[in-house]
Amino acid sequence: MSTTMLSKHLIFLCALVLLLSGCSTARDVWDKTSDLYETYIDPKPTLDLQRSDGVSKKEQQLAMQFSVMDQQLELLLRSLAPQDVFPSPAWFNDMNHRFPWLTGIMAVDTQGEILARHPEAPLKLISTAPLLEKEWSIIQRGLEGYVLDTSLGPELVVAGPFFRDGLWQGLLAVHFDPRNLIDLSQEPDSLVLLTPEALLWSGPDQSSGLELLNAPWDELLKNRVQGRWLSENRVFAWISRPVGEMRLIYAVAVD
């Protein structure tokens, strides 16, 4: 993992510890963050989930699962974002090789007509229409994402623009089943993955997902990237990450 990516994950873990530590000193927070990193991201040599260090076991699992899954998502976004010209066939092949959990990769023009698609006959056919509505330009060129509901389950679509001579020519889009991302987790049954608008995964406990889907996310996400939320029945710990304007939320029930 690169130094930059490690720093990002440490910031998220530090935020999680700050949430749980109340009035702890900065030194205490750093000690707990270092312990979380050494124990759950870069274990040497074993993973001990029995340690508490002031953080519940469930929240330790959330920090670990977030780091494992989000590392792959971060690598994908970092690979897609700089590609601002129409790619060569080698680029498509490289993306498929590096991210085998993708359902497909495609390029469309400004009207949504398909210019290239890998594989040529993907398991799920997607539409980029919601993303084409954005006003793309050299200045407005960040990645955007949305959730497409299909007959085979939800599909996460992430796209960025490509240009020629400074003019917007279309979008490069990747899409994947969120369950493929969940497969990277060591404790998938305890995890809930969602956006404020759509439930992506809740394991065997469907009630957790439904409760979280009804959380006041507009308020919760206004100034925060992590926290706790108390439903009528239990407490959830959550961490979010942006994909353009979309917010992807990882959560576990802690009580």
Side-chain angles (χ1 to χ4, degrees):
M1 189 187 299
S2 69
T3 302
T4 301
M5 289 182 63
L6 284 177
S7 298
K8 281 196 169 188
H9 290 303
L10 281 172
I11 288 170
F12 274 110
L13 293 177
C14 188
L16 182 60
V17 173
L18 278 169
L19 169 72
L20 302 169
S21 59
C23 298
S24 297
T25 64
R27 180 63 187 176
D28 289 338
V29 170
W30 175 251
D31 287 343
K32 290 176 181 177
T33 305
S34 298
D35 285 344
L36 281 171
Y37 169 71
E38 293 172 0
T39 306
Y40 302 111
I41 299 178
D42 189 22
K44 297 182 177 63
T46 59
L47 184 65
D48 181 8
L49 290 178
Q50 300 304 314
R51 294 181 56 183
S52 60
D53 294 337
V55 181
S56 75
K57 181 178 178 179
K58 289 289 187 180
E59 284 159 324
Q60 292 171 2
Q61 291 173 346
L62 175 61
M64 179 182 68
Q65 293 184 84
F66 170 82
S67 297
V68 171
M69 292 186 294
D70 203 69
Q71 177 188 357
Q72 283 295 306
L73 183 56
E74 177 75 8
L75 286 171
L76 174 65
L77 300 181
R78 285 175 176 266
S79 299
L80 180 61
Q83 188 62 44
D84 59 358
V85 297
F86 190 84
S88 67
W91 182 84
F92 286 100
N93 292 333
D94 180 64
M95 291 287 283
N96 279 319
H97 177 73
R98 293 174 61 198
F99 307 105
W101 43 273
L102 292 176
T103 306
I105 310 169
M106 61 191 300
V108 299
D109 66 16
T110 58
Q111 303 303 310
E113 293 295 322
I114 296 173
L115 303 175
R117 183 163 60 192
H118 296 258
E120 292 184 1
L123 185 62
K124 297 178 183 178
L125 298 177
I126 67 162
S127 169
T128 56
L131 301 176
L132 290 168
E133 295 174 0
K134 178 177 175 176
E135 294 184 6
W136 298 96
S137 69
I138 286 292
I139 298 175
Q140 302 290 334
R141 58 189 296 170
L143 299 179
E144 289 293 346
Y146 85 104
V147 178
L148 176 67
D149 190 21
T150 78
S151 60
L152 297 176
E155 189 84 350
L156 273 170
V157 184
V158 182
F162 65 90
F163 303 88
R164 185 175 62 200
D165 299 328
L167 298 177
W168 176 47
Q169 299 295 302
L171 296 177
L172 296 174
V174 298
H175 57 103
F176 60 93
D177 189 319
R179 289 170 292 190
N180 293 342
L181 199 59
I182 291 292
D183 283 344
L184 302 173
S185 167
Q186 295 182 353
E187 298 284 344
D189 288 351
S190 66
L191 185 69
V192 179
L193 185 65
L194 70 155
T195 70
E197 297 81 22
L199 179 61
L200 305 178
W201 168 263
S202 63
D205 183 8
Q206 295 293 315
S207 63
S208 291
L210 294 176
E211 286 181 65
L212 282 162
L213 199 56
N214 291 321
W217 289 113
D218 286 346
E219 183 65 28
L220 292 173
L221 294 170
K222 188 174 295 183
N223 298 305
R224 306 170 69 185
V225 296
Q226 52 73 41
R228 282 188 175 194
W229 176 66
L230 174 62
S231 72
E232 292 183 359
N233 302 311
R234 49 193 156 177
V235 178
F236 293 93
W238 58 271
I239 303 175
S240 72
R241 77 110 63 234
V243 181
E245 295 184 2
M246 182 181 74
R247 293 297 182 268
L248 191 60
I249 302 160
Y250 305 75
V252 294
V254 295
D255 290 332

